[in-house]
Amino acid sequence: MMEQQAGPVEFPVLANGWCNWHDGPSETALEVQWGESCSGPPKPLYACAPCREQRGLTAKPPARCQDAPMPDVNALSWEQIQGRACVTCGTELDITRVWCDTVVVHQDGYGLPVDLYACPARQT
């Protein structure tokens, strides 16, 4: 019987939508670590909430609020929808806020486009 040598594995990396642990789609996937790739630099690996809990994985906090996965629109507060609070951490924003995304909020049968904002980049 011939032994086969296992080579490096390519992980699919679809930020904010793919769990590398159960190898499937997820709306709760967060970056937990970096993994080797066959070619090129290491790639971030993502785990969904159930996989993180089962395996004791800890999500890495994003370096900046605008890098965090966009929360579901239904989970946002009125201040976040109005652009007065960060969509990631909920901190009150001022004019230095950073645009993240435009989403459609449905109200009374109408779809209203709304700009979402995050905290500005931290000074290092």
Side-chain angles (χ1 to χ4, degrees):
M1 188 160 152
M2 188 178 230
E3 286 187 19
Q4 291 185 350
Q5 189 103 6
V9 178
E10 276 291 334
F11 295 100
V13 177
L14 301 172
N16 194 22
W18 190 264
C19 175
N20 295 108
W21 268 256
H22 77 260
D23 200 24
S26 171
E27 292 185 15
T28 62
L30 296 175
E31 180 185 330
V32 292
Q33 68 186 42
W34 287 79
E36 296 295 321
S37 63
C38 289
S39 63
K43 297 179 180 178
L45 300 177
Y46 298 87
C48 65
C51 288
R52 287 193 309 271
E53 184 178 332
Q54 290 171 359
R55 293 163 177 86
L57 300 168
T58 304
K60 293 183 177 186
R64 305 176 304 173
C65 284
Q66 65 252 33
D67 295 334
M70 193 60 55
D72 183 69
V73 176
N74 296 323
L76 298 176
S77 69
W78 185 242
E79 288 76 23
Q80 290 170 316
I81 290 173
Q82 289 182 325
R84 295 188 307 210
C86 176
V87 293
T88 303
C89 68
T91 303
E92 187 176 333
L93 297 173
D94 58 18
I95 60 171
T96 62
R97 66 188 183 180
V98 178
W99 177 86
C100 287
D101 198 3
T102 300
V103 296
V104 176
V105 176
H106 295 278
Q107 183 176 355
D108 299 328
Y110 296 98
L112 305 170
V114 174
D115 289 330
L116 300 178
Y117 295 92
C119 297
R122 296 183 188 109
Q123 298 295 323
T124 55

